[in-house]
Amino acid sequence: MAQTTTARSVFEDQSPDADGARPTEEHIVVNARLDRLRASLLSSTGATTWRFSRKDIETIPGGDNAPLNQVLLQAPGVTQDSFGQIHVRGDHNEVQYRIDGVQLPEGMSVFGQALMTRFAHSMALTTGALPAQYGFLTAGVIDLTTKNGSADPGGDASVYGGARDYFFPSAQYGTHYKKWDVFLTADFVHNRVGVENPTPSFNAIHDLSNQYHFLGHLRYTIDDNTRVSFIAGASNAQYQLPNNPGQQRQFASPSWIGSALSGQLYGSMDSASLNQRQKEITDFGILSLQKEMENVSFQTSVFSRYSSLGYSPDMTGDLIYNGISQHAARSVMSTGSQTDFTWKAAPRHTVRFGMQAFIERTVSKSDSLVYLRTGTDSDGEPDYDGSTTSVHDGSGRTGWIYGLYAQDEWRLLRSLTLNYGVRFDGVDQYTHAMQVSPRLNIVWHPWKKTTFHAGYSRYFTPPPFELIGGQSLSKYDNTSAESANLQNATVRAERDHYFDAGVAQQIIPGWNVSFDAYVKLARNLIDEGQFGSPVIMTAFNYRRGQVNGYEVSTSYDRGPIALYGNFAWSRAIGKDIVSGQWNFDSDDLSYIRDRWVHLDHDQRWTASAGASYTAFRKTDHPLMLSATMVYGSGLRKDSTIPNGASVPQYATFNLAVVQSFDHLIPLSFLKRTQIRLDVTNLFDRSYMLRDGSGIGVGAPQYGLRRTIMTGISQRF
């Protein structure tokens, strides 16, 4: 892993056609050139980019089998959270995913990874003061360069599994023929660690998960300067929500059980035996045209993404523990287009301009069973007699977001580059707003192998459309699900001033170090929380927000040895919740109104490190040993004030041993055989990600205990 650009490999096909020529060799070279042109459409001048090459991905314990979020934790400033979430530089979820340069609209996935590491030939995480072509979600840009038949020819079949019923078969195949290029990959994941354990025990109760993933990539190279590509992906995942034994019933007295509840409901009244489930689906397609015309190159794309989430409760259990048993479903259908141009206007000027637009339709519906309130007791608290009623709620809305940009990368001097530009963004959904956002970055190379950069970016972040429900609060009046207050202002767009500066230095060939510092000043800072049993995030705003921090990174990659390490310090605070207030306790709202509080995902110190060594690397049986480490000082929890303390710090270590053999099986069509052993949380440390308290935190979650996995894969 490094902050320097990694060129893509060009594989040579030595199979001649009937005339003795090698047309596929030319096809591969043309596609490699077009890949470089596509990469040049995306400017990161002045920003900070952390790149994962194919070698880097294969070195991380688990390799292609590792979840994408676990790979990204090895980049500086990336913080681990529950439900598989990550936070980049103190933001909650303002991370955009791009596939071959095309931004995917946001989806509804919570627990699982709709995009798998297996899909990527390489990937990059770009943060900092982003150039003008990056909009909407700006905490980090994760760009996956997908595998394809030119760069990843041949097939691979693997079986991976181990502890906790883990079973993970997968297959991939890539090929090219004349002007066509095809790549397909699919996998199936079965395990009992779908969602984080709410207890520190070795195994969670009721945590079965089944997940299916697919990616297909088809390209046609029309000529040396033109190609068309189509990418389709699908993810279907089903989860049991793990149980937390010994919970106190909140809404049922013994006299109700067997009377009002008997014969009406089904489920469990023991928190260790609840049966809650959640299903998540994501499908997407991207059609792109890439073209070069002398000093102008462009890529234009149309895309669509469907994403849905459905929660099935334990009817009795949810009712007596939460006062509401709710079947909940949300879906979002997004269709849009993106066009990016690069124009070599003059020897010292590279002009980039383009547009993005998404049209989205979101639907939310729920069917709830709640207790009817019969009055108040002697202490003034609500009183119930076990009588229930049903509440149906639903809403749907269509909206759109759009953005235009133009920027000029001006090479003032041989050692000095100025990248300046402007964006215009707008949103017309639940909220209606627009903004003109200037961007400015300076990159200076004062001497050999040294780079200074500094930048300012004005950001405009629309609220996450798919996470805003149109719930009717009055429908729950005089029930056990009545809200603490009736304030429900619409979530607003976030507006930021972002400053970033840093330096990178190559000490000796292969050894690089860097330092980066940043400050974000936000108005209507967007945060997200889980409120209620359905694990559906809900967005809300702090009127003001501040995020600042710094990162230090180093890496060494030379010969058989690769080392890297980084640590980051961050502080994220907010004041005055101004939307979605009904989700919060009135006392918390009053406290936060005039005081700064830590955001629930604020973690002061984050670090990661890794090392790998390849023995016998020039033979047909290389042996690779690798290890990674992740450290966190702890996310926030409540004390006497909201988010006033943090959970305990932790450090986990992972290990991998991979033995490869060329032509182990004496069949001409079989190539490399690979056997691997991976150990997650090598020292079996029990560590807490969440304790169940904090603003928008629904339940406690613990990190994965020691897990031993083995696998075998066969190339062909």
Side-chain angles (χ1 to χ4, degrees):
M1 279 157 282
Q3 290 178 284
T4 56
T5 302
T6 302
R8 295 194 51 174
S9 300
V10 178
F11 295 86
E12 295 185 357
D13 189 327
Q14 299 298 327
S15 303
D17 63 12
D19 299 322
R22 295 187 176 90
T24 54
E25 197 172 312
E26 180 182 354
H27 168 81
I28 295 170
V29 171
V30 169
N31 271 288
R33 173 178 162 274
L34 290 172
D35 286 345
R36 290 192 294 271
L37 284 172
R38 185 186 63 212
S40 70
L41 291 169
L42 305 175
S43 172
S44 59
T45 303
T48 300
T49 299
W50 192 255
R51 302 183 187 277
F52 296 84
S53 67
R54 176 99 296 263
K55 176 186 173 183
D56 295 330
I57 295 172
E58 293 174 349
T59 298
I60 290 174
D64 275 345
N65 304 299
L68 187 62
N69 62 319
Q70 294 299 313
V71 177
L72 293 169
L73 286 177
Q74 301 304 313
V78 180
T79 302
Q80 177 179 208
D81 202 347
S82 57
F83 304 142
Q85 297 181 93
I86 59 170
H87 307 294
V88 178
R89 288 193 168 187
D91 274 298
H92 182 86
N93 201 26
E94 294 182 12
V95 178
Q96 64 174 271
Y97 288 85
R98 294 190 171 211
I99 297 182
D100 289 345
V102 181
Q103 181 179 348
L104 279 180
E106 289 189 271
M108 293 296 305
S109 295
V110 177
F111 301 137
Q113 307 291 308
L115 301 177
M116 299 294 284
T117 304
R118 188 175 309 282
F119 296 172
H121 177 87
S122 62
M123 60 183 175
L125 169 62
T126 301
T127 64
L130 301 178
Q133 81 185 102
Y134 299 105
F136 306 143
L137 301 172
T138 51
V141 179
I142 299 169
D143 190 9
L144 277 68
T145 300
T146 58
K147 293 178 179 178
N148 59 76
S150 296
D152 304 275
D156 184 282
S158 70
V159 177
Y160 187 69
R164 300 179 181 82
D165 292 351
Y166 208 110
F167 178 60
F168 190 175
S170 64
Q172 67 178 46
Y173 184 73
T175 187
H176 46 266
Y177 176 72
K178 294 185 177 180
K179 294 185 176 183
W180 290 96
D181 187 307
V182 179
F183 183 85
L184 302 170
T185 182
D187 61 53
F188 167 67
V189 182
H190 169 90
N191 60 38
R192 295 189 179 277
V193 290
V195 184
E196 285 86 2
N197 193 342
T199 75
S201 62
F202 192 82
N203 292 307
I205 302 171
H206 193 261
D207 201 8
L208 180 68
S209 169
N210 288 312
Q211 306 169 46
Y212 307 83
H213 307 94
F214 166 80
L215 179 80
H217 189 178
L218 176 66
R219 294 195 305 198
Y220 180 72
T221 306
I222 298 173
D223 54 45
D224 288 357
N225 301 309
T226 312
R227 71 179 175 189
V228 177
S229 66
F230 176 69
I231 299 173
S235 171
N236 188 313
Q238 302 177 51
Y239 302 91
Q240 294 177 338
L241 272 61
N243 298 331
N244 193 3
Q247 297 303 296
Q248 182 71 35
R249 296 171 184 163
Q250 301 297 316
F251 289 91
S253 67
S255 62
W256 302 358
I257 301 172
S259 56
L261 295 177
S262 178
Q264 295 184 45
L265 310 175
Y266 57 89
S268 171
M269 285 176 274
D270 181 352
S271 65
S273 303
L274 298 179
N275 185 22
Q276 302 164 319
R277 299 171 182 267
Q278 192 151 298
K279 184 175 182 178
E280 301 174 6
I281 297 174
T282 295
D283 302 310
F284 64 87
I286 303 171
L287 178 64
S288 300
L289 169 66
Q290 184 185 347
K291 177 75 174 178
E292 181 188 26
M293 302 176 295
E294 295 183 354
N295 59 348
V296 176
S297 62
F298 71 89
Q299 177 172 276
T300 184
S301 306
V302 292
F303 48 82
S304 186
R305 175 174 181 166
Y306 171 79
S307 182
S308 68
L309 183 154
Y311 171 78
S312 299
D314 184 295
M315 291 298 290
T316 304
D318 278 33
L319 191 61
I320 66 175
Y321 286 104
N322 303 314
I324 179 172
S325 181
Q326 182 180 81
H327 284 274
R330 286 194 187 179
S331 65
V332 58
M333 182 71 185
S334 304
T335 302
S337 66
Q338 176 181 323
T339 301
D340 299 288
F341 283 90
T342 294
W343 172 34
K344 300 289 186 181
R348 292 180 179 270
H349 292 269
T350 301
V351 177
R352 295 180 173 90
F353 56 94
M355 58 77 65
Q356 293 170 281
F358 303 160
I359 299 176
E360 301 180 293
R361 172 70 178 175
T362 183
V363 176
S364 173
K365 60 182 180 180
S366 64
D367 289 286
S368 306
L369 189 68
V370 294
Y371 290 123
L372 284 171
R373 191 174 69 186
T374 58
T376 57
D377 60 20
S378 57
D379 297 323
E381 297 296 323
D383 198 12
Y384 308 94
D385 66 1
S387 300
T388 61
T389 188
S390 298
V391 178
H392 173 78
D393 201 2
S395 65
R397 179 166 292 212
T398 301
W400 67 307
I401 59 175
Y402 51 90
L404 307 170
Y405 73 90
Q407 64 189 35
D408 177 19
E409 187 176 312
W410 180 12
R411 192 170 182 180
L412 293 164
L413 302 170
R414 185 174 182 180
S415 61
L416 184 64
T417 300
L418 178 68
N419 194 23
Y420 61 98
V422 65
R423 280 190 69 91
F424 173 73
D425 294 302
V427 56
D428 185 9
Q429 294 174 342
Y430 284 98
T431 188
H432 310 278
M434 58 186 65
Q435 178 176 290
V436 176
S437 305
R439 310 280 178 91
L440 177 65
N441 285 283
I442 298 174
V443 179
W444 178 38
H445 302 276
W447 50 81
K448 189 176 180 180
K449 307 301 181 182
T450 302
T451 302
F452 288 94
H453 71 89
Y456 163 78
S457 292
R458 180 76 165 136
Y459 288 150
F460 175 86
T461 304
F465 190 41
E466 71 285 355
L467 300 185
I468 303 173
Q471 188 164 16
S472 302
L473 302 183
S474 60
K475 290 185 177 182
Y476 297 90
D477 287 350
N478 298 312
T479 73
S480 53
E482 186 176 32
S483 59
N485 62 78
L486 297 178
Q487 300 179 70
N488 192 23
T490 302
V491 183
R492 310 169 189 176
E494 179 180 325
R495 304 171 189 267
D496 306 326
H497 296 282
Y498 196 101
F499 304 88
D500 178 272
V503 58
Q505 173 71 55
Q506 184 184 94
I507 307 298
I508 59 175
W511 183 15
N512 298 279
V513 297
S514 65
F515 173 83
D516 213 64
Y518 58 91
V519 175
K520 183 177 90 166
L521 305 176
R523 181 159 62 94
N524 296 325
L525 183 143
I526 296 174
D527 201 353
E528 297 173 13
Q530 184 222 331
F531 306 95
S533 294
V535 187
I536 301 174
M537 295 297 160
T538 300
F540 61 94
N541 296 104
Y542 289 93
R543 181 174 56 84
R544 294 180 60 191
Q546 294 181 14
V547 183
N548 62 285
Y550 62 84
E551 301 163 354
V552 178
S553 301
T554 183
S555 64
Y556 177 80
D557 193 346
R558 200 75 169 174
I561 299 174
L563 306 167
Y564 67 89
N566 57 73
F567 68 88
W569 179 91
S570 176
R571 185 186 70 157
I573 56 177
K575 178 193 289 189
D576 192 10
I577 294 174
V578 292
S579 63
Q581 299 95 326
W582 68 274
N583 293 292
F584 302 92
D585 181 83
S586 298
D587 291 339
D588 286 349
L589 287 175
S590 178
Y591 181 88
I592 298 169
R593 183 172 296 115
D594 301 314
R595 299 175 179 86
W596 291 96
V597 296
H598 294 275
L599 306 187
D600 71 280
H601 55 269
D602 181 28
Q603 180 167 268
R604 191 55 50 91
W605 292 99
T606 302
S608 61
S612 69
Y613 175 76
T614 303
F616 317 117
R617 64 191 182 96
K618 295 184 178 181
T619 70
D620 62 358
H621 55 277
L623 173 66
M624 191 272 290
L625 307 174
S626 71
T628 60
M629 181 277 293
V630 173
Y631 167 82
S633 62
L635 300 172
R636 306 305 296 187
K637 67 176 182 179
D638 287 341
S639 61
T640 56
I641 61 174
N643 293 345
S646 60
V647 301
Q649 64 181 348
Y650 65 90
T652 60
F653 296 82
N654 307 314
L655 177 69
V657 181
V658 181
Q659 176 67 69
S660 301
F661 301 94
D662 287 338
H663 305 292
L664 177 64
I665 302 174
L667 295 174
S668 59
F669 66 91
L670 296 180
K671 300 178 182 179
R672 174 163 290 194
T673 304
Q674 192 174 83
I675 302 171
R676 67 181 309 126
L677 169 68
D678 298 305
V679 184
T680 301
N681 196 352
L682 179 64
F683 301 110
D684 195 24
R685 302 293 189 189
S686 175
Y687 65 99
M688 179 184 293
L689 295 172
R690 296 288 192 179
D691 77 341
S693 70
I695 299 173
V697 178
Q701 285 102 19
Y702 287 79
L704 186 64
R705 298 283 296 274
R706 180 164 54 215
T707 302
I708 301 174
M709 309 285 286
T710 60
I712 182 170
S713 64
Q714 177 64 60
R715 296 282 298 173
F716 57 89

